[in-house]
Amino acid sequence: MAVRHLVPALREEFGCSFCIANGENSAGGAGMTEKCVREILDAGVDVITTGDHVWDQKEFEHQIANYPAVLRPANFPPAQPGRGYGVFQSPDGTEIAVIDLIGRVFVNAQSDNPFTAADRILEDLKQRQVRNIFVDIHAEATSEKIAIGRYLEGRVTAVWGTHTHVQTADERVLPKGTAFICDLGMVGSQESILGRDIRAVIHRMSTGMPRRFKVVDTDVLLCGAVVEFDPTSGRATGIERIARMSPS
């Protein structure tokens, strides 16, 4: 498992005090299981965000409450189990809020407006005097992810996109002190199409005939970003895109 091999080394290399990972589809390409959650957390990840496939494994809706460090999109219907944001502590005692949002453009999921959901959450965090706030916007459209980043600019420490699997090269600290990247990329095989078997995907796309999209588990690349920030102000001072091959 790439996360188990690479996360501890990356935390040491960059001196990371806190680690957030999107665990979407860690269960063989379809949602999450308790086993996946335990493996990711045991690897050194502090908080796991998710997205539109969080309930693909049916039993997980009954298990997510056992893991306060696992978030589902905050703008999902309130009747759904789990929570969409939380306040956590790094080893040095710094309070860190993590918000999980899902987009609505080209995304097949029932969800509320992510902009208004973010406003409600930020009002709560303001009352709790939490300054260091990190946002995962799980969305398809780059325009929606950029819009969320600009909408939250100056109000949160960092906004990053997930869901489209391909790491983007637009990382920057926005003028008001919010780190942004449109998509962190995936943890998956370089010799694949979004983590799936190349021949099967091409066959389906070229012929229209169904094929099982097997997950490829060789030549795995872990993608992400490291954000530097001032914990007293909650403002980002740097962001660096990273991509590392897992040991074979």
Side-chain angles (χ1 to χ4, degrees):
M1 185 179 183
V3 173
R4 182 172 64 247
H5 290 299
L6 292 175
V7 168
L10 288 169
R11 290 194 68 151
E12 182 176 358
E13 177 182 349
F14 290 96
C16 296
S17 60
F18 203 79
C19 179
I20 306 163
N22 187 285
E24 184 85 327
N25 293 334
S26 54
M32 300 187 69
T33 64
E34 279 194 298
K35 180 182 178 182
C36 295
V37 169
R38 289 193 296 265
E39 288 180 346
I40 294 171
L41 295 177
D42 288 346
V45 171
D46 295 295
V47 174
I48 301 172
T49 57
T50 59
D52 54 313
H53 292 287
V54 63
W55 310 129
D56 280 7
Q57 300 293 326
K58 300 305 179 185
E59 68 276 11
F60 195 64
E61 66 181 86
H62 306 294
Q63 299 166 344
I64 191 170
N66 299 326
Y67 298 96
V70 179
L71 305 177
R72 50 84 168 162
N75 53 324
F76 270 179
Q80 293 196 12
R83 59 178 185 162
Y85 72 103
V87 178
F88 309 88
Q89 280 196 340
S90 65
D92 63 4
T94 300
E95 283 193 322
I96 294 177
V98 182
I99 304 172
D100 192 356
L101 297 173
I102 193 166
R104 298 196 296 179
V105 180
F106 308 131
V107 176
N108 184 24
Q110 291 187 347
S111 61
D112 192 6
N113 187 319
F115 295 85
T116 56
D119 285 339
R120 290 194 297 268
I121 296 168
L122 291 181
E123 183 59 33
D124 176 57
L125 296 176
K126 181 179 180 181
Q127 296 297 321
R128 298 165 67 175
Q129 298 184 332
V130 180
R131 296 184 179 87
N132 308 299
I133 306 170
F134 295 79
V135 180
D136 180 342
I137 171 63
H138 196 77
E140 185 76 30
T142 54
S143 58
E144 187 175 28
K145 290 188 274 193
I146 295 170
I148 286 284
R150 288 295 188 172
Y151 185 72
L152 298 178
E153 180 185 354
R155 297 195 286 162
V156 302
T157 308
V159 177
W160 62 82
T162 57
H163 181 62
T164 51
H165 295 244
V166 178
Q167 188 179 59
T168 56
D170 61 338
E171 73 280 6
R172 61 175 294 201
V173 176
L174 299 175
K176 295 181 182 178
T178 296
F180 177 81
I181 182 169
C182 204
D183 203 284
L184 291 177
M186 69 173 179
V187 179
S189 176
Q190 287 196 114
E191 293 302 311
S192 73
I193 296 177
L194 304 187
R196 307 289 181 152
D197 179 72
I198 294 173
R199 288 178 295 180
V201 175
I202 290 176
H203 181 86
R204 180 170 175 177
M205 288 186 170
S206 63
T207 68
M209 295 301 294
R211 279 292 184 274
R212 180 174 178 267
F213 289 170
K214 179 182 177 183
V215 175
V216 183
D217 58 7
T218 56
D219 300 307
V220 174
L221 183 71
L222 181 150
C223 298
V226 175
V227 175
E228 296 181 16
F229 66 100
D230 179 356
T232 60
S233 66
R235 295 293 176 257
T237 57
I239 179 171
E240 179 177 349
R241 176 168 37 101
I242 58 172
R244 298 293 170 84
M245 288 296 300
S246 176
S248 57

